[in-house]
Amino acid sequence: MSPMSLQSTKFKTGGRSEDDLRNQYNHKRNYTGPPRDQLSRVKRDVIQLWQKMSVVDPSDLENIQRSIIKHATSTLARTVFNVDNFAAYQATAHSVRDFLIERWNVTQQTHTLKDPKRVYYMSLEFLLGRSLDNALLNLKVKEKYGTALQSLGFRMEDLIPEEEDAALGNGGLGRLAACYMDSLACLEYPAWGYGLRYTYGIFKQHIVDGHQTEFPDYWLNYGNPWEVPRLDVVYEVRFYGHCTRYTDALGSERWKWEGGDKVQAVAYDVPIPGYNNHTCLNIRLWSSKPTKQFDLSSFNAGNYEKSVEEQQRAENITSILYPNDNHNMGKELRLKQQYFLVCATLKDVIRRFKKTNRPWADFPDQVAVQLNDTHPTLAAVELQRRLVDLEGLEWDEAWDVVTRTFAFTNHTVLPEALETWPVPLLTELLPRHMAIIFDINLYFLQQVEKKFPNDRDRLRRMSIIEETTPQRVRMAHLAVIASHTVNGVAALHSALVKSLIFKDFAEFFGDAKFTNVTNGITPRRWLNQANPPLAALITQLIGGGWHKDLGELKKLAKFADDAKVQEQWRAVKLHNKQRLAELIHRQSGLTVSPDALFDVQVKRIHEYKRQLMNILGVIHRYFSLKRMTEQQRQRDVVPRVVVFGGKAAPGYYMAKLVILLINNVAKVVNNDPEVNKYLQVSFIYDYNVSLAEIIVPASDISQHISTAGTEASGTSNMKFVLNGGLIVGTVDGANIEIGDEIGKDNIYFFGALAHEVEDIRHAQRYRQVKMDPKLEAVLAVISSGQFDTEPPAATVTGTVHGPAGTPSASPSPTMFLTGPGTQVVAPPTTKQFGPLIQTLTTGGDFYLLSHDFSAYLDALAKADAEFRDTKLWTRKSILATAGMGHFSSDRSVAEYARRIWHIEPCPMEAPETVASQLAAGDDE
């Protein structure tokens, strides 16, 4: 019997006519459709009429034109005389959304009918980027929409930039989640994404006098046509309060959490279309609202601020992504965000599960929950609370359900960077959850003690509770204990997970619990959408199968030495570099040559990512150029444009200082007529997905230079190489696997290896280790204040010439890293960059800039030399792209589905087919 045959399923009438029951059901709202056994209650003629009126054809040009005009005139209340580009974008977006929602409805109906096991991807971030271009490409209607818009007086290329990036993420974590949702839809797995709807995103970045300055991101000011408000899907979320113990009807001791504050979680749905199929998945985002929006009595009493106090307090929860946690209020708000997400999500998941009338023991057979890092870890505690306190399960029975439901992806390498929360804060905000965490910890440590008797230090290391003052909850430990599978995101990272980060847990649970799923990126966004000329060339050469099977790219290798293909390849790269040059000019007024080598590092600003080493290398290059004659520069120098981009967390002082140094160096270099034909520096502000789609295809080299063993994986490295850029990078994260796939001749590796790092740090700390002389000379220049916003009277042009390859501002004592007999230059003259210098001297150079600096410069020099050989460079670029088939997020998601989630694809039929089957009530 097919799922559609459920139309004829018999049901009990309870003495009432079937028409009465059907009519009653027709007007009853159900969040995700009726349960399977109630489908027959909807009248067949009603179904037929609804389907007749709702099925639309996005392939018909006139239909598209009619849809756009309808939304312009009806949805936006515009006329042909006052529709500007933004209004035309909005009308087009609503038109496309109509087609997506039709597919979304069919997808949800099919999932309800077939009732497959679903995966729920919980992430505090979803960095989606723009949706219009992506939706048009995935629906394969971009050309038709372009024609329709042209006939209406608009150009597609003018409308796409009108869309604001959805401010729902910050960096790689959120972009990875977005790629995975795209792949889940492309591969037609039954899945939901769950996150938060941030009103103001993280922040808009502006550069003021070289400094990062943060402003709210008002991305929702004009509405968001890509979301569907579900104002009737609302759940209460409790904070604070107290716990009361009582005995239930069966004599079991139970706990009740009551009192405190309540807020409402309101659902907003974002459709995620699959590529060239009929599946449309959903990301459900929660927005926080008050249970009571307005206190009229306070208002009438003249206390106007108090009248809206509850509303403001509630809405703060989803106002900002990652509020500054340098103070207690910020910490509390972050923790509120995490619980708000998991509480609303689990209520929604449980409601959907209960529709199937299955026993709780079947919950893990129908539900897989993936924790994207530690942020949603409280979900495990919340599920245990609901099962024990509200559903009446015994502790062990409930815990078995929990540990078979959750899987955990760890994205952190450094143990000291793992998330922890103060016990007093958790106790105040979530008292019942803190009690449950203590119980989980006790029962777990009893098992550890049984396996490793009298090993008290092991108990201390493995405890969820860190015995500091105050005590802290180790969220990663909780996630590992509560999950059936823990995965790292690159081969090296996953090895470190077992050997370093969670070594004790691997010994306790065994290696089988820990696995690797190397990250991936969606080729639909990062090649087809971001680089249309290259996508078209690749399709011309090898066909279009790579859109859904990136392994097809290996066929490009045979064209690596083809002169005609090389010429076409270079023309595409030049086109993309011209686009980036235009972006740089729009932002800063700087004119750069697309014939120069474009050297790019764009990512979140952090000390371990070593943007500092990059700008120190730029300073070294600058002074090397200053020492040359013009004839030497013309003969020996490869002109270079160095591009930076990325945001620093608002409270991260050192990262913001690096941004200031980059901008101050850029000011000096770009205004030096002697040098600026050979070296220019640009900081692209407010880096986001849409800017990345311009920057990534334009790179000749990109830098991924984190200290070995500190980058879990990285995905920007994959995006650059997929688009034919070469990497200058350390042997870290996914760089290693990229090198294995594309060939180590096509990547510029340098620097310490992960297993060497601790020994190097030990030597730097306890022995007299001299600083690299090239780095020492660069620091001397910075120390002199010559790159300050207001430099001292002596200018950079007055530097003295140091030994070959090294600049120096003035003779200075030898610099040592910390150790016996440490000597450091006299207190720096610089009024701004002293803290950066101290991280490399008295701070011990934790991220090994001195150790890696000369090797880093050598790698850049090698790239320079090979860039001169146009044929060799183009060959490397083609082979790099050809080797990237392994790094598709489709491959990653398929591994998760097969090895961790144990779910199967659920293919969709065309909407009109499903409509006719539902209307006819087929019995196959």
Side-chain angles (χ1 to χ4, degrees):
M1 183 176 73
S2 78
M4 304 307 171
S5 65
L6 290 166
Q7 283 288 324
S8 58
T9 302
K10 301 296 182 184
F11 59 93
K12 296 180 180 179
T13 65
R16 301 168 62 188
S17 72
E18 291 193 10
D19 277 350
D20 286 343
L21 289 170
R22 284 183 176 128
N23 288 332
Q24 179 191 43
Y25 188 77
N26 284 346
H27 300 283
K28 183 178 179 181
R29 168 76 166 107
N30 189 294
Y31 297 154
T32 53
R36 295 174 65 184
D37 61 352
Q38 296 179 3
L39 285 170
S40 60
R41 298 188 186 184
V42 183
K43 283 182 169 182
R44 188 167 298 167
D45 58 339
V46 173
I47 294 176
Q48 290 172 337
L49 181 60
W50 274 73
Q51 299 299 346
K52 177 182 177 182
M53 296 301 174
S54 63
V55 173
V56 292
D57 180 10
S59 64
D60 180 69
L61 181 61
E62 185 177 337
N63 204 6
I64 292 172
Q65 292 168 327
R66 182 179 296 109
S67 175
I68 294 172
I69 292 173
K70 174 197 141 192
H71 281 293
T73 56
S74 299
T75 307
L76 305 177
R78 300 289 188 107
T79 71
V80 66
F81 302 106
N82 66 349
V83 177
D84 57 9
N85 279 347
F86 181 66
Y89 152 70
Q90 288 182 306
T92 305
H94 280 287
S95 169
V96 176
R97 193 186 78 163
D98 288 347
F99 300 134
L100 295 184
I101 289 176
E102 182 190 28
R103 283 165 167 73
W104 187 90
N105 284 329
V106 168
T107 301
Q108 297 310 313
Q109 288 169 0
T110 304
H111 288 172
T112 297
L113 290 165
K114 295 186 177 180
D115 198 21
K117 182 177 182 179
R118 297 172 175 91
V119 64
Y120 298 96
Y121 197 87
M122 293 177 61
S123 179
L124 212 56
E125 297 184 41
F126 285 95
L127 195 58
L128 298 173
R130 290 173 176 156
S131 295
L132 176 59
D133 202 18
N134 182 71
L136 291 171
L137 289 167
N138 279 11
L139 292 171
K140 302 199 80 172
V141 293
K142 185 174 181 179
E143 187 176 336
K144 282 192 170 61
Y145 263 85
T147 303
L149 285 168
Q150 192 168 21
S151 69
L152 297 175
F154 295 95
R155 299 190 312 159
M156 178 70 75
E157 55 266 38
D158 294 330
L159 302 195
I160 288 174
E162 292 290 332
E163 181 179 354
E164 288 277 348
D165 275 37
L168 300 170
N170 176 34
L173 186 78
R175 186 53 234 171
L176 180 73
C179 283
Y180 281 178
M181 289 305 300
D182 177 270
S183 288
L184 284 163
C186 181
L187 299 177
E188 300 196 276
Y189 286 110
W192 284 66
Y194 280 97
L196 297 183
R197 181 181 182 265
Y198 302 103
T199 308
Y200 304 111
I202 182 165
F203 59 82
K204 279 279 190 185
Q205 180 193 55
H206 293 273
I207 303 299
V208 179
D209 296 329
H211 295 266
Q212 170 180 292
T213 308
E214 301 95 20
F215 294 89
D217 187 346
Y218 298 107
W219 72 286
L220 289 172
N221 260 13
Y222 299 99
N224 176 16
W226 301 104
E227 68 182 12
V228 181
R230 300 290 192 185
L231 303 183
D232 52 347
V233 181
V234 180
Y235 299 108
E236 282 193 342
V237 179
R238 186 191 306 272
F239 297 104
Y240 310 110
H242 60 274
C243 299
T244 304
R245 184 164 51 187
Y246 71 98
T247 302
D248 67 15
L250 299 177
S252 298
E253 186 179 90
R254 301 289 178 190
W255 288 88
K256 181 183 292 185
W257 179 27
E258 51 195 357
D261 294 343
K262 292 180 181 179
V263 299
Q264 291 185 333
V266 181
Y268 288 77
D269 289 347
V270 180
I272 305 296
Y275 177 79
N276 198 26
N277 62 31
H278 301 292
T279 291
C280 187
L281 297 181
N282 189 52
I283 297 176
R284 177 156 284 179
L285 304 173
W286 301 109
S287 182
S288 55
K289 304 294 180 184
T291 54
K292 182 174 67 174
Q293 296 214 5
F294 189 73
D295 184 349
L296 184 60
S297 60
S298 294
F299 186 86
N300 288 337
N303 196 341
Y304 304 131
E305 291 184 0
K306 187 178 180 183
S307 67
V308 294
E309 186 179 84
E310 183 177 339
Q311 178 181 351
Q312 292 173 342
R313 188 166 59 246
E315 292 179 353
N316 281 343
I317 295 173
T318 53
S319 288
I320 298 288
L321 169 63
Y322 298 143
N324 191 340
D325 64 353
N326 288 352
H327 46 77
N328 289 334
M329 293 299 290
K331 288 183 174 67
E332 181 176 306
L333 187 54
R334 280 204 185 193
L335 187 56
K336 276 186 173 181
Q337 287 182 338
Q338 294 184 8
Y339 179 66
F340 181 81
L341 167 64
V342 304
C343 178
T345 298
L346 281 177
K347 284 186 174 184
D348 205 42
V349 170
I350 288 171
R351 174 195 51 75
R352 194 172 294 116
F353 170 75
K354 282 186 171 183
K355 284 168 52 180
T356 67
N357 296 316
R358 285 183 167 88
W360 281 109
D362 290 353
F363 189 79
D365 299 324
Q366 290 297 110
V367 173
V369 178
Q370 187 67 37
L371 306 176
N372 191 26
D373 215 353
T374 55
H375 307 131
T377 300
L378 283 171
V381 186
E382 173 67 5
L383 181 57
Q384 181 74 1
R385 181 186 76 85
R386 299 193 70 83
L387 294 178
V388 172
D389 292 357
L390 304 180
E391 302 297 338
L393 274 68
E394 294 302 319
W395 179 277
D396 289 345
E397 183 185 4
W399 189 243
D400 176 67
V401 171
V402 169
T403 54
R404 290 191 295 124
T405 297
F406 291 97
F408 166 50
T409 300
N410 172 260
H411 291 276
T412 306
V413 175
L414 301 176
E416 60 270 22
L418 295 172
E419 184 180 38
T420 64
W421 289 107
V423 166
L425 174 59
L426 257 167
T427 302
E428 179 187 12
L429 191 66
L430 303 168
R432 180 60 181 136
H433 297 75
M434 191 65 250
I436 290 173
I437 290 171
F438 276 127
D439 285 343
I440 293 170
N441 193 47
L442 174 62
Y443 300 146
F444 172 68
L445 292 182
Q446 287 173 343
Q447 297 173 30
V448 175
E449 165 65 20
K450 187 175 181 180
K451 187 168 185 176
F452 301 99
N454 300 316
D455 191 342
R456 296 181 183 179
D457 193 54
R458 182 182 293 270
L459 294 177
R460 177 191 60 79
R461 296 194 307 267
M462 297 182 71
S463 174
I464 296 172
I465 307 300
E466 184 179 12
E467 297 298 335
T468 55
T469 305
Q471 293 176 310
R472 300 185 71 87
V473 177
R474 295 160 163 160
M475 301 305 285
H477 288 203
L478 177 58
V480 171
I481 293 166
S483 298
H484 57 79
T485 307
V486 177
N487 73 279
V489 290
L492 174 62
H493 173 233
S494 295
L496 291 172
V497 164
K498 289 192 287 189
S499 66
L500 174 65
I501 305 171
F502 301 127
K503 180 176 183 292
D504 292 322
F505 294 91
E507 291 173 356
F508 176 77
F509 287 110
D511 285 353
K513 179 166 182 159
F514 298 86
T515 188
N516 174 62
V517 181
T518 298
N519 284 345
I521 59 173
T522 168
R524 274 81 58 185
R525 167 79 64 167
W526 293 110
L527 185 53
N528 193 41
Q529 179 174 331
N531 199 344
L534 186 59
L537 176 58
I538 292 172
T539 300
Q540 175 189 323
L541 295 173
I542 65 171
W546 59 270
H547 290 90
K548 297 186 80 167
D549 180 6
L550 202 59
E552 290 283 297
L553 291 182
K554 64 180 179 290
K555 296 176 181 178
L556 285 173
K558 65 185 177 185
F559 298 102
D561 295 304
D562 185 304
K564 182 180 178 181
V565 171
Q566 282 204 354
E567 184 180 353
Q568 293 172 302
W569 198 270
R570 286 192 293 270
V572 168
K573 181 63 71 173
L574 180 62
H575 166 79
N576 289 324
K577 291 170 75 172
Q578 288 168 341
R579 290 177 67 219
L580 177 53
E582 291 167 4
L583 170 64
I584 292 170
H585 189 266
R586 282 199 307 273
Q587 278 208 353
S588 64
L590 180 66
T591 300
V592 301
S593 169
D595 294 321
L597 185 153
F598 277 25
D599 176 353
V600 179
Q601 188 181 23
V602 286
K603 53 186 70 197
R604 181 167 53 94
I605 310 295
H606 198 289
E607 288 170 279
Y608 85 85
K609 294 179 182 288
R610 300 203 294 190
Q611 287 94 346
L612 178 57
M613 185 162 73
N614 188 346
I615 194 60
L616 295 178
V618 170
I619 295 172
H620 176 274
R621 180 179 292 265
Y622 172 65
F623 283 104
S624 298
L625 290 169
K626 293 288 288 182
R627 281 199 312 279
M628 293 180 178
T629 66
E630 180 61 20
Q631 184 180 12
Q632 288 174 318
R633 288 192 282 262
Q634 290 179 359
R635 184 189 66 213
D636 299 334
V637 174
V638 173
R640 179 180 295 250
V641 177
V642 183
V643 178
F644 292 89
K647 295 178 179 179
Y652 194 171
Y653 175 71
M654 284 299 183
K656 296 174 85 167
L657 209 53
V658 170
I659 291 175
L660 177 63
L661 180 60
I662 291 169
N663 284 299
N664 284 6
V665 170
K667 184 177 178 181
V668 170
V669 171
N670 297 340
N671 288 290
D672 188 332
E674 210 174 36
V675 169
N676 61 18
K677 294 193 294 288
Y678 305 98
L679 177 64
Q680 292 173 296
V681 182
S682 173
F683 186 92
I684 295 178
Y685 64 83
D686 204 34
Y687 178 63
N688 59 20
V689 174
S690 295
L691 291 181
E693 290 172 16
I694 298 173
I695 297 167
V696 167
S699 81
D700 292 306
I701 62 172
S702 61
Q703 297 199 28
H704 308 275
I705 55 177
S706 54
T707 310
T710 62
E711 184 72 82
S713 170
T715 53
S716 64
N717 44 10
M718 303 171 189
K719 295 160 194 167
F720 281 104
V721 182
L722 180 62
N723 283 273
L726 302 185
I727 283 179
V728 173
T730 47
V731 186
D732 193 31
N735 286 356
I736 301 169
E737 291 162 81
I738 291 174
D740 291 340
E741 294 291 328
I742 70 174
K744 290 185 172 56
D745 290 341
N746 301 315
I747 190 168
Y748 300 98
F749 278 131
F750 73 92
L753 302 179
H755 69 272
E756 300 171 335
V757 167
E758 285 306 315
D759 289 339
I760 296 168
R761 285 178 179 151
H762 178 84
Q764 290 179 173
R765 183 173 180 83
Y766 295 108
R767 301 169 192 163
Q768 196 169 26
V769 177
K770 291 183 179 180
M771 181 177 285
D772 180 282
K774 298 184 181 72
L775 179 60
E776 180 180 357
V778 170
L779 293 186
V781 175
I782 298 172
S783 181
S784 72
Q786 294 181 15
F787 291 108
D788 282 13
T789 303
E790 297 180 2
T795 65
V796 287
T797 55
T799 56
V800 298
H801 296 170
T806 65
S808 61
S810 59
S812 63
T814 300
M815 286 189 188
F816 292 91
L817 305 171
T818 53
T822 295
Q823 286 184 303
V824 183
V825 289
T829 304
T830 175
K831 296 178 181 179
Q832 293 176 306
F833 302 115
L836 288 180
I837 294 171
Q838 289 164 5
T839 65
L840 304 178
T841 53
T842 55
D845 188 16
F846 184 79
Y847 294 106
L848 308 191
L849 273 69
S850 177
H851 180 276
D852 287 355
F853 195 65
S854 283
Y856 169 65
L857 296 178
D858 290 344
L860 292 174
K862 184 178 179 183
D864 277 353
E866 294 188 343
F867 185 75
R868 287 175 170 272
D869 187 336
T870 305
K871 291 182 180 179
L872 173 65
W873 189 267
T874 309
R875 181 179 191 276
K876 285 174 171 284
S877 176
I878 295 172
L879 289 175
T881 298
M884 288 301 290
H886 179 68
F887 300 100
S888 170
S889 52
D890 295 353
R891 185 267 314 153
S892 304
V893 160
E895 287 188 28
Y896 277 106
R898 185 179 67 255
R899 297 197 282 113
I900 298 176
W901 303 331
H902 307 295
I903 61 173
E904 299 291 336
C906 186
M908 297 296 125
E909 296 182 81
E912 56 272 18
T913 304
V914 175
S916 62
Q917 288 177 330
L918 280 170
D922 269 354
D923 278 321
E924 292 181 359

